[in-house]
Amino acid sequence: MSDPRGRGRGIDRGRRPYGTGGGGDRSIRGVERGTGRGRDPAFQGHPGGSRGASRSRGGDFRGGRGHGQPAPAPSGPPVQVTPYTSTAVSIGPLTQAVGVKRPSFGTAGRVIPIIVNCFRVSLPNCYIHQYNITIIGRTRDAEMEGFVRPDDAVKIIQTMQELHSDIFTPRAVYDTEKIMNYPFNVRSFYPGDEIRAIERGIELRRGYFQSIRPAIGQMVLNFDISTGAFFQGGPLIALCMAVLGQPNTANPNNLLSANINRRERTSLLNMIRHLRVRTQQRGEQPRIREIRGLSELGAANHTFDTPEGQTTVAQFAARTSGRPLQYPAALSVQLSRLAFVPLELCEVVPGQLMRRQFRQDLMSRIHDFTNLQPHTRLEKIRAGSRGMNYNASPYVNDFQMQVEEEPMSIQGRLLDPPELIYGQQARVRRDELRDGAWNLRGKRLYQPAAIAGCAIIVYDQRFSQESRQNCTRGLHEACESLGITGMPLHPPSIQRNPLGTNYAEHIREVGQQHHRQMGSYPNLVVVILPDHGADDIHTRIKHAGDVLIGVATQCLKASSLVGSKCRRFPNPQYFANVCLKINVKLGGINVVPTPETVQFLLDPNNPTLVIGADVAHPPVGSRGRASFASLVGSVDSSASKYIAITRPQRVRTEIMNERNLEEMVYYLVMKYMAYRREKEQKSNPAPRRILLYRDGISEGEFKECKKKEVECIKKACDRAGINPIPGITFVVVRKGHHVRFFPQNGTDRDRSGNVRAGLVVDREIVSPVEFDFYLQSHGGLKGTSRSSLYNVIHDDNRFTPDALQTMTNALCYVYARATRSVSIVPPAYYADLVAFRAKHHFDPDGGLSLSDTASRMTDEEEEAQLQQVIQAMCPLHARTADYMYFQ
């Protein structure tokens, strides 16, 4: 049970165990044993910080899509369960909670036996003290601010015990053996038993995650498989060639010289900055230093002054290394203010985590490695925990702890899926839902939109006239079958060169053509993108459509239309999925749940506004200029139609800016009231209740989030003239945890081998105090499914567990652009999409880069950067703002 930041361990014998302290991500944790002096122990949450990791951290990956092979059925007779009979919760009145105390346990659904990757831990009858030592101050790398290496952590804790020997008697135990020997990332470490090299100088390593934390009536060890991405060790010059996508036979004198284009140079520097490399001069010990920058000139042309006179980096390197350079025209890396060393004389230290954003073309290879079928993952967890041999560890024994050898068998509940309503009140019955999925055969959308006009722009030069006809025919037939009117069989179209920047003019041009032919302007433009350069075109098209012109745009990859999906006859399923996105972009509603499954939302006497919230940060490894806070809010009574708003705020700040949040909530409230008054003709347009799903915050931020963000919502409602203030329920949604569930009986698993959709767990492994639950609302696709963890941190509406769990599960079935349930409640999902699309609010040719690799900025510089972003950000066009443009 090693902690990568360093942890001392000890016990205060003879006292009743009460709790442990929580640590932040930039702390060194020390645990006292002995006299019991110092602070009184207090329950502060899960040891070692939050159960969920920030999404901006590198090293762990989510599972991908695809069905894969069916998993083998569990062997042996079915496991029988005796359902819990009591729903009562016993929490002492003096026990404090950051969020809402658990009101009771849920009972809805069918009880099933499951296995969870948690191991019971027995503790001695004593206090355990944990001390958090925060390192204050900045480093050269703002991403590593406050970070302390394990060897330094040992020195700090040793010094602390020597200076305060009266407190640390006997001395604390400190375990660094495993962490010192292996690369690590927060609470994961990577022994290197399973390594796979992928392209661009990156290798993947499989390791282990471990975290001990309190649960209901016990402590549990969460043990999981973890995957980390690392830079390949070896010659730095070989790594640089790989980063640029060049074969190892290519000549660095040409490709890594001063003639390298600016974009490639920036991309290379972004990847290798802060990488630790080993250098050695003749007759001296090797040195390990971090890369600060890249030279502008090759080593042969890069001159500097010495006491003997002027020389070049290449000449100096030849004298100090004892050999001439093989690639004198190649660049050098800057290792200190004055030290430049040729690339070929640097060795990359192995085992360095790749804390950067991954290229999209690598994601399929990453998913192939990270996705493990449930039975395979469970066996690796069992084997890994046995290999740790916890009970033989002197550190565990000093605590008088015992860790069970087998993962826990617990009870979960399978909630019934909701019935769904499509057009003409056609229903999808529960028996039609298989593993959280269904089909649209014979059904029309609940509220189909009307296409007032459609035009097509083609940017793929190989996209033939036949392919264009197949595409329009496929869209026409899919729209007709789903009830969307107005899709023409032969819409006006143009074909243009994908190179350039005049994409807004192309939309205006095809709009004018439509006006000449049809007498009106289109409200939908379909854009056919090429395979190469599609991301840049997509960004420019969305900026033009959503911001400048105010027309819905639907982008399609040409490769999806000229392959098997559309070679001779259009694939109905493909085009039906496209039409789901088109319908909501034009103001339609695809599907709604039946009233009995979401009674809370459909109570006519208590109108409910549903809000999703998220904050998106710059990519990992990039300092960035700003983070973006985004909100979506329902406007209709069925909570199926949403509008969105986004605002920039200080970079990497997760708690929303209070002024921004109040403004955004006010905007949503006013839109909600206007829609109910004008579209639905409601006499009571103001919301009486607000249900907010907040994505992205970690457990350590709950207190601040509750204090600031709930108050902003109240202020926004007061500003809107709503009296009384609506009852607010604030639910945090998290996916960044390592708890996994596995079926014990074959009847409880889906085709992927995962537990069936609708699993809810709110006993045994959850918080002993606070109102939280795990919900696995989706069916498995590929790999082991990850549930979402919901924490209720504020609740004026006094939800029962069954009511909140059932309603949340039902909402997961009405995600607008899918015919399957999703893993996270749609309002939070939509907010994430809006935050991601914040980049479309900026002129692509405006000169403002949202990604900045500066490693250090003062507060004044950060504020100046933020003001630049605020001034450059363009609002949505009025015709776009009232629709779900973000689909």
Side-chain angles (χ1 to χ4, degrees):
M1 297 191 307
S2 305
D3 190 306
R5 303 295 173 85
R7 173 174 292 176
R9 293 185 171 83
I11 58 174
D12 186 4
R13 292 179 171 84
R15 299 186 182 183
R16 182 176 178 81
Y18 181 74
T20 59
D25 288 327
R26 291 171 179 154
S27 300
I28 299 178
R29 273 109 36 189
V31 182
E32 174 197 358
R33 67 170 183 174
T35 63
R37 297 180 185 176
R39 284 197 230 166
D40 291 332
F43 180 80
Q44 299 178 20
H46 299 287
S50 71
R51 278 179 284 176
S54 169
R55 289 176 303 172
S56 63
R57 293 185 187 130
D60 294 323
F61 308 99
R62 300 184 181 182
R65 297 189 174 185
H67 289 287
Q69 298 297 318
S75 59
V79 177
Q80 303 298 320
V81 295
T82 302
Y84 298 111
T85 57
S86 173
T87 63
V89 175
S90 177
I91 301 175
L94 299 181
T95 303
Q96 295 184 350
V98 173
V100 176
K101 290 185 181 180
R102 188 181 304 280
S104 62
F105 294 114
T107 59
R110 176 170 64 90
V111 178
I112 64 168
I114 54 176
I115 296 173
V116 63
N117 60 336
C118 293
F119 298 76
R120 287 188 176 89
V121 179
S122 63
L123 293 176
N125 189 27
C126 66
Y127 278 113
I128 297 176
H129 290 179
Q130 178 167 306
Y131 291 88
N132 304 318
I133 307 172
T134 302
I135 308 301
I136 300 173
R138 291 181 177 268
T139 65
R140 289 192 304 270
D141 181 3
E143 291 291 322
M144 305 292 286
E145 181 181 337
F147 182 85
V148 178
R149 302 190 185 283
D151 51 348
D152 294 330
V154 174
K155 297 175 183 177
I156 290 173
I157 290 184
Q158 287 176 343
T159 303
M160 179 178 66
Q161 293 182 97
E162 291 169 359
L163 294 175
H164 303 282
S165 58
D166 56 328
I167 295 177
F168 296 98
T169 303
R171 292 170 68 88
V173 177
Y174 187 75
D175 176 11
T176 61
E177 179 180 354
K178 294 183 178 64
I179 295 305
M180 296 293 282
N181 292 338
Y182 303 122
F184 63 88
N185 178 36
V186 192
R187 283 172 287 280
S188 296
F189 69 98
Y190 307 92
D193 300 331
E194 295 183 68
I195 300 178
R196 179 182 297 179
I198 58 177
E199 295 178 0
R200 306 285 176 170
I202 301 169
E203 63 184 22
L204 304 177
R205 295 190 182 192
R206 193 163 281 141
Y208 303 109
F209 168 91
Q210 50 185 356
S211 175
I212 190 169
R213 54 186 184 158
I216 296 178
Q218 61 191 340
M219 296 289 287
V220 297
L221 170 69
N222 181 205
F223 189 89
D224 192 26
I225 303 300
S226 178
T227 302
F230 294 81
F231 290 101
Q232 290 180 335
L236 175 61
I237 198 164
L239 176 67
C240 292
M241 294 293 286
V243 167
L244 296 177
Q246 300 295 334
N248 53 17
T249 56
N251 187 352
N253 273 326
N254 299 327
L255 298 169
L256 288 172
S257 69
N259 296 325
I260 185 173
N261 70 60
R262 181 59 55 179
R263 172 181 264 181
E264 287 188 336
R265 187 183 188 281
T266 301
S267 175
L268 176 61
L269 180 57
N270 289 349
M271 284 293 287
I272 67 173
R273 177 176 275 164
H274 306 306
L275 197 62
R276 287 181 294 125
V277 294
R278 181 184 293 108
T279 61
Q280 184 174 12
Q281 295 184 1
R282 185 168 50 183
E284 296 184 5
Q285 293 295 319
R287 297 181 63 187
I288 295 178
R289 289 176 286 181
E290 285 188 357
I291 295 175
R292 292 189 178 186
L294 267 177
S295 64
E296 294 288 343
L297 301 173
N301 297 318
H302 188 174
T303 61
F304 64 98
D305 294 326
T306 69
E308 292 79 22
Q310 193 175 72
T311 187
T312 67
V313 170
Q315 292 169 342
F316 183 82
R319 290 199 304 270
T320 56
S321 66
R323 65 175 179 84
L325 294 183
Q326 187 176 357
Y327 306 110
L331 302 176
S332 305
V333 287
Q334 182 181 7
L335 301 182
S336 66
R337 189 171 65 88
L338 298 176
F340 287 84
V341 179
L343 292 173
E344 64 183 272
L345 298 184
C346 299
E347 291 281 326
V348 178
V349 177
Q352 297 184 70
L353 275 165
M354 207 284 288
R355 303 177 187 272
R356 308 289 189 274
Q357 187 177 33
F358 294 102
R359 293 170 56 98
Q360 285 299 313
D361 58 353
L362 298 181
M363 294 311 297
S364 62
R365 297 193 179 192
I366 292 172
H367 288 153
D368 287 342
F369 184 76
T370 60
N371 288 334
L372 296 172
Q373 286 190 322
H375 68 283
T376 303
R377 191 181 196 99
L378 182 57
E379 286 307 310
K380 286 184 176 290
I381 288 170
R382 284 187 165 122
S385 64
R386 285 195 297 266
M388 294 298 293
N389 200 11
Y390 289 111
N391 293 330
S393 167
Y395 310 106
V396 174
N397 292 335
D398 188 80
F399 260 123
Q400 300 178 11
M401 297 168 60
Q402 286 288 313
V403 181
E404 290 191 1
E405 295 184 356
E406 282 295 311
M408 296 170 61
S409 294
I410 63 173
Q411 293 183 15
R413 292 177 286 117
L414 281 182
L415 301 178
D416 290 332
E419 290 192 346
L420 306 174
I421 303 178
Y422 278 92
Q424 301 171 335
Q425 293 300 303
R427 291 201 174 200
V428 178
R429 300 186 307 273
R430 288 192 174 99
D431 58 7
E432 296 180 74
L433 296 167
R434 182 178 180 184
D435 299 335
W438 63 97
N439 66 61
L440 288 174
R441 189 177 297 114
K443 297 180 178 63
R444 294 188 166 222
L445 300 180
Y446 181 78
Q447 189 181 100
I451 298 176
C454 176
I456 295 179
I457 305 175
V458 179
Y459 287 110
D460 190 287
Q461 302 302 308
R462 299 170 300 173
F463 200 70
S464 66
Q465 186 64 32
E466 180 186 5
S467 297
R468 196 178 309 186
Q469 292 172 354
N470 285 341
C471 174
T472 55
R473 185 169 77 252
L475 286 172
H476 174 81
E477 293 174 356
C479 285
E480 275 201 337
S481 67
L482 295 174
I484 302 173
T485 60
M487 182 64 203
L489 259 176
H490 304 288
S493 64
I494 61 174
Q495 187 161 3
R496 293 293 178 265
N497 192 320
L499 302 177
T501 61
N502 296 321
Y503 301 100
E505 291 306 314
H506 297 162
I507 294 178
R508 293 188 177 98
E509 178 186 351
V510 79
Q512 291 290 346
Q513 180 176 326
H514 187 282
H515 187 267
R516 289 192 299 271
Q517 295 181 17
M518 305 296 181
S520 63
Y521 291 98
N523 65 344
L524 174 66
V525 176
V526 176
V527 181
I528 311 300
L529 299 176
D531 287 342
H532 301 291
D535 290 344
D536 184 59
I537 299 175
H538 181 270
T539 297
R540 294 172 182 274
I541 288 291
K542 292 302 177 182
H543 176 74
D546 297 345
V547 175
L548 300 181
I549 301 171
V551 62
T553 56
Q554 180 60 56
C555 295
L556 306 175
K557 276 282 191 75
S559 57
S560 298
L561 299 169
V562 298
S564 59
K565 293 177 181 175
C566 195
R567 180 162 295 166
R568 296 187 61 184
F569 301 102
N571 182 322
Q573 184 62 53
Y574 173 80
F575 288 110
N577 290 338
V578 172
C579 287
L580 293 179
K581 301 174 69 174
I582 290 174
N583 190 57
V584 295
K585 288 178 181 179
L586 297 179
I589 298 175
N590 292 344
V591 61
V592 298
T594 53
E596 56 268 23
T597 57
V598 287
Q599 294 178 11
F600 178 87
L601 301 181
L602 302 184
D603 181 355
N605 298 318
N606 293 285
T608 302
L609 167 62
V610 181
I611 296 176
D614 191 19
V615 177
H617 304 291
V620 175
S622 171
R623 182 61 183 171
R625 291 180 180 269
S627 294
F628 290 90
S630 299
L631 263 63
V632 299
S634 62
V635 292
D636 64 318
S637 296
S638 62
S640 297
K641 182 182 290 189
Y642 290 80
I643 59 169
I645 184 170
T646 186
R647 291 288 183 270
Q649 64 181 39
R650 289 288 289 269
V651 66
R652 301 202 185 281
T653 303
E654 186 58 54
I655 304 301
M656 293 189 181
N657 176 278
E658 294 168 82
R659 185 173 62 181
N660 282 352
L661 180 57
E662 181 181 338
E663 175 192 338
M664 291 191 291
V665 174
Y666 175 77
Y667 173 84
L668 297 181
V669 168
M670 298 305 292
K671 287 286 188 180
Y672 175 86
M673 295 170 63
Y675 188 92
R676 284 176 52 82
R677 183 188 304 111
E678 298 166 11
K679 301 290 186 181
E680 297 184 340
Q681 303 296 309
K682 301 292 185 181
S683 58
N684 57 339
R688 297 291 299 277
R689 300 186 292 206
I690 292 178
L691 172 59
L692 188 144
Y693 289 99
R694 173 70 155 91
D695 191 11
I697 65 171
S698 64
E699 196 169 27
E701 296 165 320
F702 282 4
K703 187 174 182 180
E704 184 180 6
C705 179
K706 177 180 178 179
K707 177 182 177 181
K708 293 183 177 180
E709 297 189 3
V710 172
E711 186 62 29
C712 288
I713 298 171
K714 293 179 180 179
K715 289 180 179 179
C717 293
D718 181 64
R719 178 181 168 189
I722 302 175
N723 188 19
I725 298 298
I728 299 169
T729 297
F730 197 111
V731 184
V732 176
V733 192
R734 291 187 290 157
K735 291 280 286 183
H737 60 80
H738 279 267
V739 174
R740 302 290 184 274
F741 301 107
F742 306 90
Q744 285 192 263
N745 292 334
T747 56
D748 301 327
R749 72 184 186 96
D750 60 22
R751 287 175 293 178
S752 69
N754 286 286
V755 182
R756 292 188 181 279
L759 173 71
V760 64
V761 175
D762 67 352
R763 300 181 188 242
E764 295 191 80
I765 63 165
V766 294
S767 168
V769 175
E770 300 187 348
F771 186 3
D772 66 348
F773 59 90
Y774 292 93
L775 175 61
Q776 197 161 298
S777 52
H778 62 300
L781 290 171
K782 188 177 181 181
T784 305
S785 295
R786 186 199 305 246
S787 59
S788 292
L789 175 57
Y790 295 83
N791 295 79
V792 184
I793 65 173
H794 184 90
D795 185 21
D796 296 327
N797 298 303
R798 302 178 66 83
F799 265 104
T800 65
D802 280 339
L804 183 59
Q805 293 163 9
T806 301
M807 184 188 63
T808 301
N809 185 56
L811 287 175
C812 291
Y813 281 76
V814 291
Y815 181 62
R817 58 183 188 182
T819 55
R820 62 169 55 246
S821 58
V822 291
S823 62
I824 187 170
V825 68
Y829 210 143
Y830 296 152
D832 181 73
L833 292 175
V834 173
F836 175 77
R837 290 182 60 139
K839 61 185 179 182
H840 298 157
H841 288 262
F842 298 88
D843 181 359
D845 300 309
L848 177 69
S849 172
L850 293 178
S851 179
D852 186 345
T853 58
S855 60
R856 184 175 182 179
M857 283 192 292
T858 65
D859 290 343
E860 292 76 14
E861 289 171 334
E862 283 191 358
E863 182 61 30
Q865 297 263 35
L866 177 60
Q867 292 305 316
Q868 289 181 358
V869 172
I870 292 173
Q871 293 171 12
M873 188 172 184
C874 305
L876 288 171
H877 194 283
R879 287 195 295 265
T880 305
D882 289 339
Y883 300 123
M884 295 174 69
Y885 69 94
F886 47 86
Q887 292 296 322

